[in-house]
Amino acid sequence: MNSDKKPIAAWLLVCCALVFAMVVVGGVTRLTDSGLSIVEWQPLIGTIPPITQQDWDELLEKYRSSPQYQQINKGMSVDEFKNIFWWEYFHRLLGRLIGLVFFVPFIYFLFTKKIDKPLGYKLAGIFVLGGLQGFMGWYMVMSGLVDNPRVSQYRLTAHLGLAFIIFASLLWVALGILSPNNNTAAANQNTDTLKGLRRFAYGLSWLIFIMVLSGGFVAGIRAGLAYNTFPLMNGHLVPPDLFVLEPWYRNFFENMTTVQFNHRLIAWVLIFSVPLLWFKAIFKSSLSGTTRLACHAFLLMLAIQVSLGITTLLHAVPINLAATHQGGAVLLFAASLWVSHQFRKSG
């Protein structure tokens, strides 16, 4: 690793940590129904929190015009409003902080010529994704400020998916700086074996991303509140009402049964696939210590995340467990990317 680029890698990992925090806080914001408490998008002015009683009265008055207040929270006091306001405020403030923490060092590294052109283009692309994410967040909130006081599950999933894409981009670039050379294979390692492991790891990373998207739909239509049993779904291996909506494809996005079934199905695929990758990597190939460590971390994180998912489901989605489960998804994704990166140039 080029020692001149070590600060860049550290900076990108700090950004990863902030995105992780953003995903967790965003999960709590959704679980507490706080996301619609701020009915305006003010990227600059909105940074200043309410201080005086007049500030709070004005914010509550604006909130009273929203469908959520009129249909769900009618008669809410200022103190009750504060409980949901602060989660959404900190969620937006954290988004602004991430933009600042990314942009300022990026300009510094750019002007001090510590970033070459290829890396500069990658980082500029990530910055554009961050701006798009800010717009997507407000676009999502707008869907809940009309007739139905619930944000669209489609926009929610897009917002969540984009957060994971930004996280993956930051982490992948950081790993490329920290481990730029092919140190994965042992001297006599079979090339075909390494190619197979690489394809397997890449496939699992994509599958986890798809599972994250399915989790977005679970959250968006509150499918976790149905079928709070495991491993069967209220006594069924395959529940009978998977395709009750017409046309049939709506069931994958709007039917609580189908959405939760799909999320479970992907989890089962991972439960069998990740240990298989781990077994092949540890016992069927000669790999570096770092690669073996990444494989161990991947398997351990899968066990933790599956346990969190089952516990969250059985307890009907309590806020603390659900938020932890959402954070666990980021860590599982990170572990899969670490493993994938270790095989990136193999074969």
Side-chain angles (χ1 to χ4, degrees):
M1 177 184 65
N2 187 339
S3 59
D4 289 342
K5 288 188 175 181
K6 190 173 181 180
I8 298 176
W11 158 57
L12 293 175
L13 291 177
V14 169
C15 291
C16 283
L18 289 173
V19 174
F20 168 79
M22 184 76 166
V23 171
V24 174
V25 172
V28 176
T29 301
R30 173 183 52 79
L31 290 161
T32 55
D33 290 324
S34 302
L36 300 177
S37 60
I38 302 178
V39 298
E40 295 177 318
W41 189 33
Q42 299 173 315
L44 297 178
I45 300 175
T47 306
I48 303 172
I51 299 173
T52 67
Q53 185 61 41
Q54 182 180 351
D55 293 337
W56 284 111
D57 291 340
E58 290 176 357
L59 285 170
L60 180 56
E61 187 60 34
K62 292 176 181 178
Y63 176 63
R64 283 175 178 147
S65 65
S66 71
Q68 187 183 63
Y69 176 85
Q70 295 171 3
Q71 298 179 33
I72 299 176
N73 293 329
K74 200 170 186 67
M76 174 178 276
S77 67
V78 173
D79 289 336
E80 290 171 330
F81 174 68
K82 289 178 181 180
N83 291 331
I84 62 172
F85 171 87
W86 284 120
W87 279 114
E88 175 63 7
Y89 171 78
F90 283 121
H91 183 56
R92 297 191 186 193
L93 187 65
L94 188 54
R96 296 180 177 100
L97 177 63
I98 292 172
L100 190 64
V101 170
F102 184 89
F103 181 71
V104 174
F106 176 52
I107 295 300
Y108 169 77
F109 289 130
L110 202 60
F111 276 92
T112 55
K113 301 187 184 300
K114 295 184 182 295
I115 296 176
D116 55 30
K117 270 191 177 181
L119 180 57
Y121 287 134
K122 292 176 184 177
L123 296 176
I126 294 173
F127 183 72
V128 171
L129 287 176
L132 179 61
Q133 178 70 331
F135 170 77
M136 181 59 69
W138 176 242
Y139 184 61
M140 176 188 69
V141 169
M142 285 175 61
S143 67
L145 297 178
V146 287
D147 298 331
N148 185 7
R150 305 284 185 194
V151 298
S152 162
Q153 69 268 33
Y154 298 97
R155 299 186 192 185
L156 171 67
T157 301
H159 187 53
L160 179 65
L162 189 52
F164 273 74
I165 290 173
I166 293 171
F167 178 86
S169 302
L170 290 166
L171 182 60
W172 195 263
V173 173
L175 290 173
I177 295 172
L178 294 171
S179 180
N181 299 318
N182 180 17
N183 56 5
T184 302
N188 298 319
Q189 179 63 51
N190 185 287
T191 301
D192 291 336
T193 300
L194 288 172
K195 283 184 177 180
L197 288 171
R198 181 184 62 188
R199 288 193 294 267
F200 198 176
Y202 281 15
L204 289 177
S205 292
W206 278 107
L207 185 60
I208 290 170
F209 180 68
I210 293 171
M211 188 174 186
V212 167
L213 298 182
S214 76
F217 283 104
V218 170
I221 64 173
R222 302 175 184 271
L225 297 177
Y227 300 99
N228 299 112
T229 60
F230 188 86
L232 300 179
M233 297 177 68
N234 289 356
H236 298 282
L237 182 63
V238 179
D241 50 347
L242 285 178
F243 292 98
V244 295
L245 301 181
E246 294 291 345
W248 62 269
Y249 55 81
R250 285 180 54 209
N251 291 280
F252 291 95
F253 314 108
E254 301 174 21
N255 184 339
M256 294 176 70
T257 301
T258 313
V259 167
Q260 190 188 128
F261 177 80
N262 290 340
H263 197 61
R264 289 186 184 221
L265 185 61
I266 298 173
W268 278 114
V269 173
L270 290 172
I271 286 170
F272 288 103
S273 299
V274 174
L276 180 58
L277 173 69
W278 176 82
F279 179 80
K280 286 185 175 183
I282 300 302
F283 296 105
K284 297 295 184 180
S285 58
S286 302
L287 300 170
S288 71
T290 302
T291 305
R292 295 169 72 88
L293 178 61
C295 291
H296 291 324
F298 191 17
L299 183 64
L300 176 62
M301 197 58 235
L302 174 75
I304 293 172
Q305 180 65 351
V306 168
S307 299
L308 282 171
I310 295 172
T311 306
T312 301
L313 181 70
L314 294 178
H315 288 82
V317 197
I319 293 175
N320 57 341
L321 283 175
T324 305
H325 183 54
Q326 186 155 316
V330 183
L331 297 180
L332 178 63
F333 191 45
S336 75
L337 292 172
W338 186 19
V339 171
S340 296
H341 199 274
Q342 287 301 116
F343 295 125
R344 72 198 184 285
K345 293 180 181 178
S346 58

